[in-house]
Amino acid sequence: MAKDEVMESGGAGEFAAKDYTDPPPAPLVDAAELGSWSLYRAVIAEFIATLLFLYITVATVIGYKHQTDSAVGGADAACGGVGVLGIAWAFGGMIFILVYCTAGISGGHINPAVTFGLFLARKVSLVRAILYIVAQCLGAICGVGLVKAFQSSYYNRYQGGANMLASGYSKGTGLAAEIIGTFVLVYTVFSATDPKRNARDSHVPVLAPLPIGFAVFMVHLATIPITGTGINPARSIGAAVIYNNEKAWHNHWIFWVGPFVGAAIAAFYHQYILRAGAIKALGSFRSNA
């Protein structure tokens, strides 16, 4: 058996050959991608997916606030609307749908933090990562713009669905909520798309969007009361740009720093702890020494 073949321990002290293949790391800069239609098709898919994501979810937030507005619906208005649970379902459900639809085209990132984490893990090149993030942010701005166009009478009244740090919470608490929430999401993305799992559980590729959507759903339940739940810089900047109010921009950095830090931690944890990337690299270095 070849020296460099990766081995894994089996039962009763036996060793079996690796039954999966890790894709080669993406180049840091791949200029050849710029001449490939598949790259631009993927960028368009990210733009449209993020546009649809922001349109549905922000419209849900605005609709909920209108339905529970006591000045409109009276004293019993607080009992109406879809509630926080419904908002969380809107975000999680749309991610499930859109990841399912676009995974085979662009990977279904729909989130700059996810793209950043996958870039750090060498799953996408720098060129693709930059174009994805730009497309996601522009798609988010257009999606929220549609909400404002269709619900102009309610949009500004209910703060445009923008992410804001809730009163009573410190900046540190808001930042920690965004870091942990994004870690949960990006860690789930890595786990659901792990080639090792896909090789051993044939049903996993079909079901991959489901745990990702559930991760978004659960994080929203936990962090809506704190920050309104960002965990997606495109979602945050899209609402902030269209609402364009001082409240939306105050502490806006939390919704960029938090998700990027959480994504970086998740990438490191999955690649270098769970998948033992550092140990494999050291072993390869020693074998070539």
Side-chain angles (χ1 to χ4, degrees):
M1 187 171 290
K3 178 178 67 175
D4 60 349
E5 183 175 5
V6 179
M7 307 292 290
E8 293 191 352
S9 59
E14 297 180 355
F15 290 86
K18 187 169 74 170
D19 58 357
Y20 65 95
T21 302
D22 282 313
L28 180 61
V29 178
D30 187 3
E33 273 191 316
L34 293 173
S36 172
W37 164 243
S38 63
L39 171 63
Y40 300 105
R41 179 183 63 180
V43 170
I44 293 171
E46 287 292 311
F47 172 83
I48 296 298
T50 315
L51 183 155
L52 295 174
F53 175 61
L54 265 293
Y55 171 71
I56 295 297
T57 54
V58 173
T60 301
V61 172
I62 299 298
Y64 164 68
K65 289 186 175 181
H66 174 64
Q67 290 173 322
T68 55
D69 188 347
S70 58
V72 176
D76 296 330
C79 299
V82 296
V84 172
L85 185 64
I87 293 174
W89 270 121
F91 279 88
M94 280 304 292
I95 287 296
F96 168 69
I97 293 169
L98 294 170
V99 170
Y100 179 83
C101 291
T102 60
I105 301 171
S106 65
H109 297 190
I110 322 171
N111 185 336
V114 171
T115 300
F116 180 67
L118 293 174
F119 166 71
L120 293 180
R122 301 289 302 277
K123 304 294 185 182
V124 295
S125 69
L126 179 61
V127 172
R128 184 176 291 264
I130 292 174
L131 291 178
Y132 273 22
I133 291 174
V134 171
Q136 290 156 359
C137 291
L138 291 177
I141 293 170
C142 292
V144 180
L146 288 178
V147 177
K148 184 175 182 178
F150 296 154
Q151 301 190 29
S152 58
S153 59
Y154 304 132
Y155 184 82
N156 288 325
R157 179 175 181 173
Y158 301 116
Q159 301 178 322
N163 287 125
M164 300 177 192
L165 183 64
S167 60
Y169 291 98
S170 67
K171 295 178 183 178
T173 300
L175 181 62
E178 289 296 307
I179 291 174
I180 295 172
T182 310
F183 174 87
V184 171
L185 169 59
V186 178
Y187 174 40
T188 304
V189 170
F190 275 107
S191 299
T193 58
D194 193 329
K196 181 176 181 179
R197 171 170 290 179
N198 292 350
R200 297 177 179 179
D201 301 316
S202 60
H203 62 281
V204 166
V206 178
L207 296 180
L210 186 59
I212 297 172
F214 260 107
V216 172
F217 168 70
M218 296 304 296
V219 170
H220 273 75
L221 289 181
T223 58
I224 282 177
I226 304 173
T227 61
T229 309
I231 68 170
N232 184 336
R235 178 261 186 271
S236 300
I237 198 170
V241 167
I242 300 300
Y243 183 47
N244 198 26
N245 183 282
E246 183 181 355
K247 293 181 179 179
W249 293 113
H250 188 58
N251 296 324
H252 183 74
W253 62 271
I254 290 175
F255 302 104
W256 284 87
V257 175
F260 276 16
V261 171
I265 296 172
F268 177 83
Y269 175 64
H270 184 268
Q271 294 296 106
Y272 293 99
I273 305 299
L274 298 186
R275 294 299 304 276
I279 296 175
K280 291 177 183 178
L282 180 61
S284 177
F285 174 77
R286 287 178 175 175
S287 66
N288 293 328

